[in-house]
Amino acid sequence: MKTFLSIICVTILAAFAQAETPNSQPAQSNQTTTTTTATSTTESTGTVTEFTPGSALILNTGSGEPVHYKVGKTVTYTNAKGKTITAERIRKDRKVRVHYVKEGNDMVVDSVTIVRP
């Protein structure tokens, strides 16, 4: 009986050890790995405290600290009626609504709309 149990134990251990042995050749795979960066879009409304076209926008939303945004390369500026305007029309103390995309830790503005008071 002891011999029979010993043979079973050796067989199980040998099978387990063989299953644990790494394959010497890498497995071929037809799968493609893609990496995505988490982004989300949202809007915020407030008063412009600082604005540098093509660079930065600081907005006082009334909830404490001013919010810092990066200005994207293809920003659309519009007035309250929806007409496209130039960046120079965005001035300090103007109330605006910004649409931005959150890319990592940065909030990148892609649209600025002047809000009527």
Side-chain angles (χ1 to χ4, degrees), residues 51-111:
F51 176 60
T52 306
S55 180
L57 172 70
I58 300 176
L59 197 65
N60 182 356
T61 60
S63 63
E65 293 291 317
V67 182
H68 296 257
Y69 299 93
K70 287 186 176 182
V71 177
K73 297 189 185 300
T74 58
V75 179
T76 305
Y77 301 98
T78 55
N79 64 13
K81 294 181 181 180
K83 291 188 177 186
T84 302
I85 59 173
T86 61
E88 289 75 30
R89 298 276 311 269
I90 307 299
R91 289 181 235 128
K92 186 176 179 176
D93 297 327
R94 266 247 155 107
K95 189 164 184 169
V96 297
R97 181 177 55 245
V98 295
H99 181 272
Y100 62 92
V101 177
K102 187 153 174 77
E103 296 177 352
N105 291 332
D106 296 330
M107 293 183 288
V108 182
V109 174
D110 59 7
S111 174

Side-chain angles (χ1 to χ4, degrees), residues 34-56:
T34 55
T35 304
T36 58
T37 304
T39 61
S40 62
T41 62
T42 191
E43 289 186 344
S44 184
T45 303
T47 305
V48 176
T49 57
E50 287 184 45
F51 176 60
T52 306
S55 180

Side-chain angles (χ1 to χ4, degrees), residues 16-35:
F16 185 77
Q18 188 176 12
E20 292 284 290
T21 305
N23 192 353
S24 61
Q25 293 186 358
Q28 295 291 329
S29 175
N30 291 335
Q31 295 178 345
T32 303
T33 303
T34 55
T35 304

